[in-house]
Amino acid sequence: MRITEARVIVTCPGRNFVTLKIVTDEGVTGVGDATLNSRELAVAAYLTEHVVPLLIGRDPARIEDTWQYLYRGAYWRRGPVTMSAIAAVDTALWDIKGKVAGLPVYQLLGGRSRSGVTVYGHANASSIESVLAEISSYVDRGYQAIRVQTGIPGLESTYGVSAGAHYEPADAALPTENVWSTAHYLDHVPRVFARVREEFGPTLRLLHDVHHRLTPIEAARLGRSLEPYALTWIEDPVPAELQEGFRLIRQHTTTPLAVGEVFNTIWDCQELITSQLIDYIRTTVVHAGGITHLRRIFDLAALYHVRSGSHGATDLSPVCMAAALHVDLAIPNFGLQEYMRHTPATDEVFPHSYWFEDGYLHPGEEPGLGVDIDEEQAARHPYRPASLPVNRLQDGTMHNW
């Protein structure tokens, strides 16, 4: 069997997605997600100009060799564009291998380690009272874990708070601007979780995303203030470029820490894992080099009591979600899987076999990943420019978004 074609498909059924479809001379196809939110065309160009020509004529069964070829052969290694492109190829090859074997991909990864994948939903609203209603709706649907975000009094807009049912932060062709106040935030968040615990008791798993906005000592203060409410994690408390900052946070709070959705390789998280500075690693299939490399990261994490908590927002297509579920089902150190429902239009473009039931996602038993792209439907939704916002402090200083 040989690869005869690889198509890069860009579509926008409510938001932009980049998909690679690999075709073999025996008619077996595989799909991989290459979406990089607000930088989609950079990855599409990298695939079209630099990767696709290398794939033609290759044996699709040689997944590890192809991964090494694309990584080591690039010379300019790593980075989100390169690793998202490699991830698309790798994921598509695992899809093909599963179809050839007649098995779902999780069986090729060692089989089930659990009966279903525990997911968390996003409850977000402008106020505490309204977010309580959102949480209640998730509990009624069977969710056992919920991320909680609210508006902050005194600020016009806040990360993670949507205007509709489907949150999409890339909201304009050019970046919109948010205004941030750490003082307002640190004062407000403990009040939110005090009310949530009062209403829903001690056993519901609660999470919160800080979105890189604090310094280490500010994050330590937040973690300590949230200890009475027993969060499953606070996510991305500080920018992860200075990984020593997590050591400072660790010294001051027992609130668990999660990080990694912007990481691209095992080297980005090596120190955080081996020094046990985090509790959950949030790397995902599309941004961390595909199933092959993500499994390496999770295997390293397992040695140091670190569990998975993969990013799963709607900036990842159903192709990536399907791939993530196969990994989640197989690894021994699974923690949680983020799950945001896609729009109906997205589900039409990407028919899939995974489903949600009673707080769990199930990848299905179809050979391969159990997901595809309907290219006719995809063509009805052309690309449109969409940028993530930027963030400023109240005095106008640029800040982390």
Side-chain angles (χ1 to χ4, degrees), residues 6 8 65 108-109 112-113 125 134 248 257 273 279 294 368 376 392:
V8 180
D65 181 68
L108 305 180
L109 299 174
R112 289 177 179 267
S113 289
E134 280 289 301
L248 180 60
L257 304 175
I273 290 172
D279 302 278
L294 185 65
E376 290 187 6
R392 293 185 183 274

Side-chain angles (χ1 to χ4, degrees), residues 147-373:
R147 195 188 86 168
V148 179
Q149 312 286 139
T150 72
I152 301 170
L155 299 182
E156 290 186 10
S157 60
T158 307
Y159 164 77
V161 178
S162 62
H166 298 281
Y167 177 61
E168 174 49 65
D171 56 2
L174 296 176
T176 57
E177 295 197 2
N178 297 165
V179 177
W180 177 253
S181 166
T182 297
H184 285 66
Y185 171 77
L186 290 177
D187 177 67
H188 181 64
V189 172
R191 303 176 195 271
V192 174
F193 285 95
R195 284 295 310 279
V196 173
R197 281 296 182 215
E198 179 183 337
E199 293 290 328
F200 295 95
T203 58
L204 182 64
R205 300 176 72 176
L206 301 176
L207 307 89
H208 178 69
D209 188 359
V210 185
H211 221 247
H212 326 278
R213 298 190 174 197
L214 302 180
T215 65
I217 202 65
E218 291 167 346
R221 175 185 163 192
L222 174 67
R224 180 169 289 184
S225 71
L226 294 176
E227 285 177 12
Y229 314 116
L231 270 63
T232 295
W233 76 48
I234 56 173
E235 175 186 338
D236 291 340
V238 296
E241 289 94 335
L242 179 61
Q243 300 197 350
E244 188 66 21
F246 284 82
R247 192 179 306 278
L248 180 60
I249 302 170
R250 256 309 193 233
Q251 292 169 352
H252 293 283
T253 182
T254 58
T255 296
L257 304 175
V259 71
E261 70 182 55
V262 299
F263 290 172
N264 312 131
T265 71
I266 196 168
W267 296 281
D268 296 328
C269 51
Q270 179 183 5
E271 178 64 23
L272 291 173
I273 290 172
T274 59
S275 295
Q276 299 182 67
L277 301 180
I278 59 173
D279 302 278
Y280 295 87
I281 182 66
R282 286 182 38 76
T283 47
T284 191
V285 172
V286 66
H287 297 145
I291 292 172
T292 297
H293 195 61
L294 185 65
R295 184 63 188 264
R296 286 197 183 96
I297 293 172
F298 290 161
D299 284 345
L300 174 66
L303 300 178
Y304 295 91
H305 309 292
V306 176
R307 289 178 283 182
S308 73
S310 288
H311 179 62
T314 47
D315 61 346
L316 312 179
S317 83
V319 174
C320 185
M321 177 56 71
L325 294 177
H326 287 277
V327 176
D328 294 336
L329 203 63
I331 60 174
N333 57 324
F334 170 75
L336 282 174
Q337 172 65 55
E338 182 178 17
Y339 174 51
M340 294 179 70
R341 292 169 296 158
H342 288 101
T343 64
T346 299
D347 289 336
E348 288 180 5
V349 171
F350 297 95
H352 53 267
S353 62
Y354 66 78
W355 80 94
F356 172 85
E357 184 177 10
D358 296 330
Y360 300 96
L361 276 176
H362 305 271
E365 296 299 315
E366 290 187 13
L369 296 175
V371 64
D372 204 350
I373 183 169

Side-chain angles (χ1 to χ4, degrees), residues 59-70:
D59 180 355
R62 297 181 62 174
I63 297 176
E64 180 66 40
D65 181 68
T66 299
W67 196 96
Q68 297 294 339
Y69 180 75
L70 295 176

